[in-house]
Amino acid sequence: MSELMSDRQIDRSKMQVSDEVAIEINGMNKWYGSFHVLRDINLTVNQGERIVIAGPSGSGKSTLIRCLNALEEHQQGKIVVDGTELSNDLKNIDKIRSEVGMVFQHFNLFPHLTILENCTLAPIWVRKTPKKEAEERAMHFLEKVKIPEQAHKYPGMLSGGQQQRVAIARSLCMMPRIMLFDEPTSALDPEMIKEVLDTMIELAEEGMTMLCVTHEMGFARQVANRVIFMDAGQIVEQNEPEEFFNNPKSDRTKLFLSQILGH
Amino acid sequence: MSDQKTNSIAFVADGTIPPSPPPAGETGPVKWLRENLFSNAVNSALTIAALLVIYVILSKTLPWLLNGVWTTNSLAECREVLQGKTGACFSVLTERWNQLLYGFKYPGDQYWRPNLALVLLLVAIAPVLFFDLPRKLLAFTAIYPFLAFWLIWGGTILAPIVALLGFAAGAFVFQTYGKSSFAIGFFGAIVAAFAVWLIGGALIPDGASDNAMLQAVPSRDLGGFMLNLMLGVTCVSLSLPLGIALALGRQSDMPLIKWICVVFIEFVRGVPLITLLFVASVMLAYFFPPESTVDLFLRVVIMITMFSAAYIAEVIRGGLAALPKGQYEAADSLGLDYPQAMRLIILPQALKISIPGIVNVAVGLFKDTTLVSVISMFDLVGMIRGPILASTEWNGVYWELLGFAALLFFVVCYGISQYSQWLERRLATDHR
Ligand SMILES: Nc1ncnc2c1ncn2[C@@H]1O[C@H](COP(=O)(O)OP(=O)(O)OP(=O)(O)O)[C@@H](O)[C@H]1O
Ligand SMILES: [Mg+2]
């Protein structure tokens, strides 16, 4: 898997981490009923960081990033996204959601709308962008993900990789400051994984703040500036990719790496 | 492969055999018959049996239909004309045509009013059914109910205008305040509408209907197939939004709303429609202030609407449940609020899935409007069972009358069913 993108030279000129804090999580805990999914999570993400979250299945990775845009609510602790605290106030939640883009494992495009309509819907209704402007912006992002010619088709007519790129374009049309990815390539065939990862790399090269849950360790090595390892609802270890892969500190991480890298 | 032509090989043909026609009996109708009707013994036997059944049915009904008498004035005269031969007495249809369509009390010189209302209904309903038509036509759809009310019931034009103003006031309040808080907008709209209705209603002078442009026709004078159509159209168009609201309410996070919807749906579904109609005819009056004699038509509309709304709510709930959770999450993650997510993402898909079920309920509802005949309203069936069959002239003409009623209902219901199939094809965008 780590070979997947060896042909790609990454332009790091714009990948700069600023001092500005994008996300701050403080002592966050979450339960599903009596099941303690997330335990005492503390994490600060600066603007421009590219973070990969890894960990075994069921360790709470999805739950963690879904808490960041309130798709799941946390019971304890404090989450501040882009200066706004996530509370029960619906206004705050809607504000954060419009600043934070999310890409799902199963794309979740709207099947009854064309690709273009998928991309313009939220800008028109949430941001009140005029229709024409929204369409121009949508075409711009569809060109960026290299499928402008599909704009008038319906999602059901596209391949998985194309659908996922549309999903990325759809999020970008809201001009988010932060992008969350939950295993964006896990539902794809190997030959489509690359096209989606390339899109994500381009996004990183432009300086987008990104949090990705992914098993693509090649992507982590090349793009991430920090890898977070989770197990049993806790952040076990976090480090720069080089250190993380070459000198894992905890035994749990070593075991996980040996399994996933398949050496 | 490519040099086969040059080296002649013994087993390779060097010329093409000219095409020969297939043997006779293998083309055209004979072939079709053999393949589809007589492919084997069982199939052939079934075909012959079916042909026999068709023959028997036609041999009985065709003479009856073709010998039909259309121009007499009573069943006795029909019998005289037929002189013992089989033949239908369709004269009852021609002689009682107006009664069958409009009931026996609607003033005869005013039939143009319901006719015009029906024609305008087609105009009003077109942009709703065929959404490729220009959206501007919906403006007419919005005023149609008030126009139709005025045409059919006549009386003072002030009444529908006050009703329209009430809705307009409600819509205005909702538009202005609904954005900041849905609840304030919603309840404010209801209060505003009622305020306009009460004040406007009090302002209409007492004798306003006496010399009105259109002669006032009370509800009890409505009848015939017109009454069925009116009940059907009104109740379907009211129960669809109510059903959607109930289905969404049943999914609500707010326990109070959720339980109100659940109790309503379960109660109404668990009761036969006919009991609801009896309640409408005798008991519902108690719920309204004593001096306001709430119209029987309105009471029946309320009951049928509640009944079919409960069914539609359950159909739509099925559609909502069939949507993957990811659709809700995608809508949420883009920052759409609840009303937007419902209107733009969830309901269009859920309703599409629910079309066959909704149409089922709508067709059933339309036919169930004939039940009002048991609470002595003279709809098509009520007219047939009551004034027509009870008259001395036409006592005993069952087949012709009920066949005619069946035909009218069939035409409308088949139309609805064809429309729904067209709609499903038109909306099929997910090529999975
Ligand atoms: N809605 C829910 N109700 C109860 N338990 C849940 C719910 N969603 C997830 N869980 C549990 O929470 C734990 C963490 O789930 P989560 O989806 O965050 O794991 P994950 O790290 O994303 O795993 P994967 O790699 O398989 O996607 C799992 O044990 C899961 O069974
Ligand atoms: Mg997951």
Side-chain angles (χ1 to χ4, degrees), chain B residues 178-241:
Chain B
K179 280 208 193 73
S180 47
S181 156
F182 181 80
I184 293 181
F186 184 74
F187 292 109
I190 292 178
V191 170
F194 270 98
V196 171
W197 287 332
L198 285 179
I199 297 170
L203 287 182
I204 297 178
D206 265 348
S209 289
D210 296 346
N211 295 313
M213 189 161 35
L214 295 181
Q215 174 191 342
V217 180
S219 289
R220 61 177 179 279
D221 289 359
L222 304 173
F225 193 56
M226 173 182 79
L227 182 58
N228 295 109
L229 277 179
M230 283 165 59
L231 285 171
V233 171
T234 318
C235 296
V236 169
S237 36
L238 292 179
S239 58
L240 193 57

Side-chain angles (χ1 to χ4, degrees), chain B residues 106-163:
Chain B
Y106 204 91
D109 54 349
Q110 305 288 320
Y111 286 156
W112 64 271
R113 282 160 46 181
N115 291 349
L116 179 60
L118 179 63
V119 172
L120 293 181
L121 170 69
L122 301 181
V123 179
I125 218 170
V128 180
L129 298 185
F130 304 101
F131 31 78
D132 297 326
L133 293 175
R135 299 289 79 194
K136 289 203 182 86
L137 290 175
L138 284 174
F140 179 71
T141 312
I143 59 165
Y144 174 77
F146 308 98
L147 184 61
F149 172 82
W150 182 57
L151 277 174
I152 291 174
W153 275 271
T156 172
I157 197 170
L158 293 175
I161 288 181
V162 167

Side-chain angles (χ1 to χ4, degrees), chain B residues 62-82:
Chain B
L62 268 189
W64 185 77
L65 281 172
L66 296 176
N67 284 344
V69 179
W70 291 88
T71 49
T72 58
N73 283 319
S74 71
L75 183 58
E77 285 179 37
C78 274
R79 297 219 168 98
E80 261 170 48
V81 174
L82 287 166

